[in-house]
Amino acid sequence: MARVPSAVVAATGLVGGYGVARWTKKRQLGGAVLAVAGAAAARRWQRQAGGTAAGALTAAYVAGFAGSHPLAKKVGAWPSVLGVAGAVALASWVVADRKS
């Protein structure tokens, strides 16, 4: 069975966390999705690229989440979430997944 790239896990966490929070109207549930996917991605980043890279990618994941909020005021919620998810996924692929 093929492994899901960490870029996909990270992007799914950002998009899925927002989607779950929006559709269920329970922000805590969306936050749980975001946290679980972020932790899973961080473990993969650690194994694939080492601690420094994992720390930087985790910071990018958290910054993407935080940055999507003010960005949403300018471009809309879904474009914001999809944009930051794409940026985090690209960084993840470049730093960790491309080497696999």
Side-chain angles (χ1 to χ4, degrees):
M1 183 162 92
R3 267 182 61 178
V4 177
S6 62
V8 174
V9 174
T12 300
L14 290 162
V15 174
Y18 173 69
V20 166
R22 182 173 177 132
W23 290 315
T24 65
K25 299 192 181 349
K26 296 188 187 309
R27 293 179 71 171
Q28 299 87 348
L29 191 55
V33 170
L34 179 80
V36 168
R43 281 193 302 274
R44 288 204 182 167
W45 293 329
Q46 170 71 35
R47 280 184 300 212
Q48 290 175 253
T52 302
L57 289 169
T58 300
Y61 184 83
V62 172
F65 166 70
S68 69
H69 291 81
L71 182 60
K73 292 181 190 322
K74 297 183 185 298
V75 300
W78 277 113
S80 173
V81 170
L82 294 173
V84 299
V88 170
L90 178 62
S92 178
W93 181 79
V94 167
V95 173
D97 293 333
R98 182 172 52 151
K99 297 174 184 175
S100 298

